[in-house]
Amino acid sequence: MDKKVTVIGAGNVGATAAQRLAEKELCDVVLVDIIEGVPQGKALDLSEAAPIEKHDAHLTGTNGYDASAGSNIVIITAGIARKPGMSRDDLISTNAGIVKSVTQEAAKRSPEAVLIIVSNPLDAMCHVAFETSGFAKERIIGMAGVLDSARFRAFIAMELNVSVENTHAFVLGGHGDTMVPLPRYSSVAGIPITELLSQDRIEALVKRTRSGGAEIVGLLKTGSAYYAPASAAVEMAESILKDKKKILPCAAYLEGEYGIHDLFIGVPVKLGAKGVEEVIQITLTDEEKAALQKSAAAVEELKAVLKKLV
Ligand code: APR
């Protein structure tokens, strides 16, 4: 393939993302992990599936970073995942150090890459990658809104018994309990869900979306969600690799947009070859604005915690 994506962390999210990238023939994939044998084994296993899955993407597994050199995109999933009873924020002290070290190694070898951050707490980890890499803000993008919106879309489709393909949803804000699902901008075949569902039902779907990650953690018990997170990261990567310019909700660095300064938080962005090519500013009601501000305040708190850690 003429494009290369490095996925750091060959665990549940990383290996699933590698599989999806390869099976869609978007790029060659370099899978990096700290555990000896795991990235090599998973890359080889995926390569052996290639004749059946009919793709010619090359997959390499490694414990070092040399094979990652010149990547178009680096997806960072390294870190620990939460267990029942933990919030994403509980991961901050462990994952900040991991994200810092892997960003240093990857950025050195792929100075032109776009970094897609997946490790949690997401918005805070974007700050770590931004400060560590020294990359322009356009090339640091957090994966959260696409996942949260996909969850909202899945619940809307289940509720109305319609194709998921007919659904559209926007979830903004930080990737945590304060996220801001926007029913006014969520629709089925172009019809806002506010015209299709009662306020009570919408509130129930919003609540389920907010705790969507925790619902999976509660079921799995040994880790957190990975199929949908991997799909979300790959949708972002595809838009960048193919310069599709999709509008997707992602964590982006804001410098005044939505009245928010110097903070990574989920907003609609246009994703193309350069990374974040535009922050799309949609009009929000006073209530929606207040919810976004509350979410920004929660991310600010984490940013302050980070200052003491890294
Ligand atoms: N360098 C490279 N890989 C690392 C490092 C490091 N310094 N530290 C940890 N890892 C690897 C682990 O060895 C493991 O294989 O990261 C991988 C994480 O995989 P899982 O434990 O399966 O976690 P996963 O479910 O993939 O979640 C990863 O994404 O969604 C978020 O909250 C989640 O922060 C978590 C991350």
Side-chain angles (χ1 to χ4, degrees):
M1 307 277 107
D2 63 347
K3 298 274 165 55
K4 190 200 295 192
V5 173
T6 290
V7 181
I8 308 180
N12 284 334
V13 179
T16 310
Q19 178 184 359
R20 301 228 154 105
L21 289 165
E23 289 180 359
K24 286 172 184 268
E25 274 193 334
L26 292 175
C27 53
D28 289 336
V29 182
V30 178
L31 200 48
V32 181
D33 201 282
I34 201 165
I35 303 176
E36 233 170 88
V38 166
Q40 292 87 343
K42 291 192 181 181
L44 182 59
D45 197 4
L46 286 167
S47 302
E48 290 166 358
I52 304 168
E53 297 300 334
K54 304 181 184 66
H55 69 77
D56 286 297
H58 290 120
L59 292 120
T60 310
T62 172
N63 303 116
Y65 285 82
D66 289 345
S68 74
S71 292
N72 301 86
I73 296 177
V74 176
I75 302 179
I76 298 181
T77 77
I80 53 166
R82 57 184 169 148
K83 305 234 161 56
M86 290 172 93
S87 80
R88 294 182 183 92
D89 298 356
D90 294 333
L91 309 173
I92 193 165
S93 56
T94 307
N95 285 356
I98 294 173
V99 170
K100 184 176 178 180
S101 73
V102 305
T103 301
Q104 262 162 354
E105 297 298 331
K108 245 189 283 179
R109 290 163 179 90
S110 301
E112 305 299 326
V114 173
L115 306 186
I116 297 178
I117 316 302
V118 178
S119 309
N120 275 311
L122 192 271
D123 308 272
M125 293 307 106
C126 290
H127 276 277
V128 174
F130 181 48
E131 277 155 31
T132 308
S133 65
F135 285 7
K137 62 177 183 177
E138 292 77 15
R139 291 195 286 125
I140 310 285
I141 314 165
M143 186 295 293
V146 177
L147 168 62
D148 297 327
S149 301
R151 286 182 171 146
F152 197 15
R153 290 175 62 190
F155 300 147
I156 292 167
M158 288 174 201
E159 179 79 15
L160 290 168
N161 192 24
V162 295
S163 166
V164 287
E165 288 187 55
N166 279 140
T167 62
H168 181 270
F170 260 136
V171 179
L172 308 187
H175 188 44
D177 301 339
T178 60
M179 71 178 73
V180 188
L182 292 177
R184 282 192 320 124
Y185 286 106
S186 302
S187 56
V188 173
I191 308 159
I193 59 165
T194 45
E195 291 183 24
L196 299 170
L197 288 166
S198 68
Q199 192 56 31
D200 282 359
R201 289 312 302 153
I202 290 175
E203 270 164 29
L205 301 189
V206 162
K207 196 164 164 228
R208 192 172 180 196
T209 301
R210 280 212 180 96
S211 55
E215 184 177 0
I216 306 266
V217 172
L219 290 166
L220 296 181
K221 296 185 183 70
T222 53
S224 53
Y226 53 101
Y227 291 115
S231 294
V234 170
E235 181 176 37
M236 292 164 63
E238 181 174 29
S239 189
I240 296 164
L241 292 170
K242 294 185 174 170
D243 194 23
K244 281 173 78 81
K245 304 193 193 294
K246 270 192 178 179
I247 312 281
L248 296 169
C250 301
Y253 191 69
L254 301 188
E255 290 179 301
E257 300 92 338
Y258 292 95
I260 296 169
H261 294 269
D262 309 325
L263 202 71
F264 278 94
I265 195 158
V267 289
V269 299
K270 187 194 283 182
L271 281 192
K274 297 190 186 82
V276 173
E277 299 193 349
E278 192 182 338
V279 172
I280 313 289
Q281 300 211 56
I282 52 176
T283 33
L284 299 178
T285 63
D286 287 346
E287 204 180 327
E288 290 161 349
K289 268 186 215 157
L292 189 59
Q293 287 300 336
K294 185 174 164 215
S295 194
V299 179
E300 280 287 4
E301 271 179 40
L302 284 182
K303 208 179 139 190
V305 173
L306 272 183
K307 283 223 168 77
K308 295 179 205 140
L309 291 172
V310 290

